[in-house]
Amino acid sequence: MEIKNSFGSAYAGKKVLITGDTGFKGSWLAIWLTELGAEVHGYALPAQTPRDNFIVTGLKNVIHHKDGDIRNIEDLKKFFNKVQPDIAFHLAAQPLVLDSYQNPHYTFETNIMGTVNFFEACRSTQSVRAAINITSDKCYQNNEWIWGYRENDTMGGKDPYSASKGCSELVTSSYTSSFFSHNDSPVVASARAGNVIGGGDWADYRIVPDFFRALEMNQPLKLRYPNATRPWQHVLEPLSGYLLLGSKLLKDGIKYSGGWNFGPVSLTSKTVLDLISEMKWVLGRGEVIIESGEFLHEAGLLKLDISKAVSLLHWGPVLNFKETARFTLEGYIGNDSDIYYSRVQQIREYTKFGRNAKLEYL
């Protein structure tokens, strides 16, 4: 099945290695790359639940996957050496703020040393032409500004997760300057996205999976931070940015090295309550309770400035807020027996949106 896109044939016949392919974003990326004609190899811990996207799509039968821990540098290097990838995407991480409070050592070890191990594996594998480290919008030192953070703003983070992502960006910058700035070295970039939602995500402490779990148990959804503003995106939005960036790195090299933001248009950032209210309205059911009390710190206002990606990559989000909610809901409530195919159909619909969208900010 061929999917027409703006990446051309950049990935056709290429060997692509993804760390974290059993995760939410990693599994969707593996599906898209497979449909673009790439030979996809994944390295990650086993999926956490039987309902995770990696499991329900039968992805293990589609790509070449190896169970592995990103903290095991020797095993990771052996995998890279065996695969000999053209390009590598690093998504393996401990991805949750609340989990980082419960186990900060694991979070820092995974998110910081995991990044170091990834780049060491890239360094030791001659075939690697490009590498992208996928971090988070939370890598920025959040001052609760009303404007979006730009790629050259200060890295930081109060909670262990955010701090670890800021550190991962510093590691990327250091490796770029120290080891990946020569003509014969891989070209490196980092990609920062907002709060990503979509079918197949069943992780704990995430608002959309929590919403569906509450529906299944006929219980109200409890919201701790209903007014927290987040740059909500359907998973395909940032993935299109990662894929476009990767294609540019493979073609034009160092010109596209550095950090890149992939988020929604700033004016479309919505609160947690906005998102849940929209999904309730579409489904026609659901109940919410606003909790009170003192909770662990989470950012209240966080936006990304995507001007760099818009200007230099000619990338931009194509789904409005209602379409984002619809795409997300369809990923959870669809009854299609072939879930892999239903994911491909969403990618096809998304690329059609991209071809038809009038991106007035481009």
Side-chain angles (χ1 to χ4, degrees), residues 215-236:
L215 285 178
E216 289 176 348
M217 295 184 291
N218 292 315
Q219 294 179 354
L221 173 65
K222 297 179 180 179
L223 296 182
R224 297 185 306 273
Y225 305 101
N227 297 317
T229 298
R230 296 286 184 267
W232 306 106
Q233 297 173 280
H234 187 269
V235 62
L236 295 179

Side-chain angles (χ1 to χ4, degrees), residues 202-223:
W202 287 101
D204 292 331
Y205 310 125
R206 284 183 177 163
I207 189 62
V208 174
D210 285 349
F211 174 73
F212 282 99
R213 279 189 285 262
L215 285 178
E216 289 176 348
M217 295 184 291
N218 292 315
Q219 294 179 354
L221 173 65
K222 297 179 180 179
L223 296 182

Side-chain angles (χ1 to χ4, degrees), residues 233-241 262 315-320 324 350:
Q233 297 173 280
H234 187 269
V235 62
L236 295 179
E237 297 274 42
L239 291 190
S240 70
F262 297 103
W315 173 90
V318 300
L319 302 178
N320 62 33
T324 297
Y350 175 81

Side-chain angles (χ1 to χ4, degrees), residues 285-355:
R285 58 196 177 99
E287 184 180 353
V288 171
I289 292 178
I290 308 300
E291 291 190 302
S292 60
E294 295 185 3
F295 305 106
L296 296 172
H297 176 268
E298 289 189 38
L301 179 63
L302 186 57
K303 295 182 181 180
L304 293 177
D305 186 322
I306 60 172
S307 300
K308 181 181 176 182
V310 169
S311 299
L312 301 182
L313 293 178
H314 301 292
W315 173 90
V318 300
L319 302 178
N320 62 33
F321 184 62
K322 290 183 178 296
E323 290 160 351
T324 297
R326 177 176 68 81
F327 265 57
T328 299
L329 288 171
E330 288 177 353
Y332 281 92
I333 63 178
N335 294 318
D336 195 325
S337 59
D338 188 343
I339 297 180
Y340 182 93
Y341 182 72
S342 71
R343 301 295 193 241
V344 172
Q345 288 296 94
Q346 276 211 324
I347 294 171
R348 286 179 167 178
E349 184 179 359
Y350 175 81
T351 55
K352 183 177 180 181
F353 266 100
R355 291 194 298 271

Side-chain angles (χ1 to χ4, degrees), residues 85-296:
D86 297 287
I87 183 172
F89 292 85
H90 179 47
L91 290 91
Q94 192 297 96
L96 299 172
V97 172
L98 291 181
D99 276 358
S100 77
Y101 280 111
Q102 296 170 4
N103 199 338
H105 182 275
Y106 176 74
T107 299
F108 283 118
E109 185 180 21
T110 301
N111 294 355
I112 300 175
M113 290 310 299
T115 304
V116 172
N117 294 346
F118 171 76
F119 286 130
E120 283 296 303
C122 289
R123 284 183 66 200
S124 66
T125 308
Q126 289 188 342
S127 65
V128 177
R129 296 167 51 197
I132 301 178
N133 179 25
I134 310 300
T135 63
S136 167
D137 59 337
K138 296 175 182 63
C139 67
Y140 294 106
Q141 179 176 303
N142 190 359
N143 299 306
E144 305 282 340
W145 288 332
I146 61 172
W147 53 84
Y149 291 91
R150 295 183 175 180
E151 286 84 352
N152 58 354
D153 280 327
T154 303
M155 297 292 108
K158 294 182 179 179
D159 60 88
Y161 170 77
S162 300
S164 73
K165 286 302 184 179
C167 289
S168 179
E169 287 284 354
L170 295 177
V171 168
T172 305
S173 178
S174 175
Y175 266 82
T176 300
S177 299
S178 302
F179 307 111
F180 299 133
S181 58
H182 310 296
N183 290 334
D184 59 346
S185 65
V187 185
V188 170
S190 67
R192 306 150 189 175
N195 286 55
V196 178
I197 56 180
D201 181 13
W202 287 101
D204 292 331
Y205 310 125
R206 284 183 177 163
I207 189 62
V208 174
D210 285 349
F211 174 73
F212 282 99
R213 279 189 285 262
L215 285 178
E216 289 176 348
M217 295 184 291
N218 292 315
Q219 294 179 354
L221 173 65
K222 297 179 180 179
L223 296 182
R224 297 185 306 273
Y225 305 101
N227 297 317
T229 298
R230 296 286 184 267
W232 306 106
Q233 297 173 280
H234 187 269
V235 62
L236 295 179
E237 297 274 42
L239 291 190
S240 70
Y242 305 163
L243 289 169
L244 181 58
L245 176 59
S247 70
K248 297 291 188 183
L249 291 174
L250 288 170
K251 180 180 179 181
D252 299 311
I254 197 69
K255 179 180 178 181
Y256 293 95
S257 183
W260 298 84
N261 288 340
F262 297 103
V265 179
S266 180
L267 294 177
T268 64
S269 292
K270 300 288 186 178
T271 67
V272 171
L273 187 58
D274 288 335
L275 176 65
I276 296 304
S277 296
E278 177 66 22
M279 292 199 297
K280 283 175 53 185
W281 184 84
V282 174
L283 283 178
R285 58 196 177 99
E287 184 180 353
V288 171
I289 292 178
I290 308 300
E291 291 190 302
S292 60
E294 295 185 3
F295 305 106
L296 296 172

